Amino acid sequence: MLPALPGLLVFQPLKRRYCAECRLGPLPLLALEDGAPRCLACADLGHLVFLPSGDTALTRRSREESTLSAVVVRFNRRKSRYERQGVLVEEAALARAEQRCLADAEARRRRRVRDARRRAAQDALFAQAFAAEILRLFPGCPAARARAIALHASERGSGRVGRSAAGRALTEGSVTSAVVASVRHLDTPYDRLLMSGVPRHEARRRIAAAVATVLRGWTEAGLGSTA
């Protein structure tokens, strides 16, 4: 049973078939006229070029640009049905369609660049706000350290506290968590304890006093400056 597809049909034969008119063959592609195979030249389709399936936009635009076109199908014995393999279109139409697709691809590229720049600007502003909140809560924290903590905590796609809902809202808890994490890794032997096999909760217990000392120093530095 022939596939119910709109327009002209061209077949990729599974067996060796020869043109009923010019006797050329075996034919890689053929059209059926009155049930007999015809080569593309005898079927007046020889000037068309084959575009394999795969790029939906290019296929659609090629058919839009082409005055004459045909759908190419092949019979799948295992599934007992014809399956679409591509289309035949005019070569000039294919070239015009490719130009349209390239223009769209360039437009998408430019949009991605604009979006990336916008996100980078948003991220920079948020990191500044995060760093400012760190310095408000811990005025003794060095400014460069606050900026580094903010950038690390708010890195896009990191899943860190700065990307959470609480982090985006700059809640005191989320900002403090980012500072504590930085102090834990950079100002205590926490990482060495983990590497030596100490369980995480035990390692945190051992360095808790050191973390508290650093945080207290950063907090009291601000209190002393306002006295």
Side-chain angles (χ1 to χ4, degrees):
M1 182 177 179
L2 296 182
L5 293 173
L8 298 175
L9 284 180
V10 168
F11 300 85
Q12 288 184 346
L14 300 180
K15 299 179 180 179
R16 296 167 67 90
R17 303 292 296 274
Y18 295 81
C19 179
E21 187 168 329
C22 69
R23 303 301 179 183
L24 289 178
L27 302 175
L29 295 172
L30 62 87
L32 290 176
E33 291 183 354
D34 298 325
R38 296 288 193 280
C39 68
L40 296 188
C42 290
D44 292 331
L45 301 175
H47 63 296
L48 303 181
V49 295
F50 178 58
L51 173 62
S53 298
D55 190 326
T56 303
L58 182 58
T59 296
R60 174 174 52 80
R61 287 175 172 173
S62 294
R63 297 196 72 184
E64 290 172 353
E65 294 283 351
S66 190
T67 303
L68 182 64
S69 66
V71 177
V72 177
V73 297
R74 182 172 59 202
F75 190 71
N76 185 321
R77 288 195 180 102
R78 184 172 60 84
K79 297 180 180 179
S80 298
R81 70 186 185 194
Y82 282 93
E83 295 180 339
R84 187 167 179 155
Q85 303 301 308
V87 293
L88 293 172
V89 293
E90 296 164 345
E91 189 169 6
L94 176 56
R96 290 192 296 270
E98 288 173 335
Q99 287 300 315
R100 290 171 61 186
C101 288
L102 286 174
D104 279 357
E106 176 62 17
R108 288 193 297 272
R109 186 193 67 80
R110 292 180 180 178
R111 184 166 59 249
R112 287 194 298 269
V113 170
R114 291 195 301 270
D115 290 344
R117 288 174 178 169
R118 184 182 68 254
R119 288 192 298 269
Q122 292 171 345
D123 290 349
L125 289 174
F126 176 69
Q128 290 176 12
F130 202 101
E133 188 62 11
I134 291 173
L135 292 175
R136 186 186 73 81
L137 295 173
F138 304 96
C141 177
R145 180 70 176 275
R147 288 193 296 271
I149 294 171
L151 287 171
H152 181 77
S154 61
E155 183 180 355
R156 187 178 291 270
S158 66
R160 300 186 185 115
V161 66
R163 304 308 303 182
S164 66
R168 302 300 292 178
L170 295 177
T171 65
E172 182 173 335
S174 64
V175 174
T176 300
S177 293
V179 174
V180 169
S182 176
V183 172
R184 184 185 295 133
H185 289 288
L186 298 182
D187 300 289
T188 77
Y190 179 68
D191 290 353
R192 291 195 299 275
L193 290 173
L194 294 180
M195 289 297 293
S196 68
V198 177
R200 181 171 60 90
H201 293 295
E202 173 61 18
R204 287 194 177 194
R205 187 192 66 78
R206 293 186 189 182
I207 55 91
V211 171
T213 298
V214 174
L215 297 183
R216 185 167 55 251
W218 286 354
T219 303
E220 291 176 352
L223 295 176
S225 65
T226 59

